[in-house]
Amino acid sequence: MGQRRAEVLRAAVELLDEVGLDGLTMRLLASRLGVRASALYRHYPSKQALLDAMVAYLSTPPADAAPSPGGSWEERLRAVAIAMRELMLAHRDGARLIATFHHPGSEAVATFHGLVAAQTAGGVPAETAVLAVDTLLAYVNGFTIEEQARKTGAGDWPRERRDRAFNDGIELILAGVRETARRTAR
């Protein structure tokens, strides 16, 4: 990625954190960078392309945050779900931004296929594994969108209770996958 393109991307993420997804416009971003809006289109052909790049940038986990490939499929799905939620919560409207992507980055595609492969290696039928990953990712995004939309404060729904509710939802999904795999194996 070129230096100027990376600068535009970082400025867009900073602006997202300041004004939210609804306030993030190409015109405002250009103003922040001291250029005309048309200059941004040299780096990103559309606002959607910029949003997709922001999603790819934000959802690329640090090398030390990747789930252990040696863990069980349950551990891997759980780790990815928790990491995704934390990533979304780290940025204003982070979950809404993730929901906007049109073209997932190569890292997201690799993670998806890795989670499916981990499940199939653990005895989960391929169709169930794909559905499980889709369901889990939709759950993470939906839960986090609600969390961010409610602008929950410490007195409303404390983080500890939100974490417990989130984790309980993950366990419910994983239990369903285990049961489906068990029934299919008969």
Side-chain angles (χ1 to χ4, degrees), residues 56-69 76 79-80 83 87 107 111:
Y57 175 75
L58 292 178
S59 60
T60 301
D64 60 348
S68 164
R76 292 189 69 194
V80 166
L87 174 124
E107 184 75 29
T111 298

Side-chain angles (χ1 to χ4, degrees), residues 24-36:
L24 177 64
T25 65
M26 296 300 264
R27 183 169 291 166
L28 184 58
L29 179 58
S31 174
R32 172 68 55 91
L33 292 166
V35 298
R36 291 178 180 235

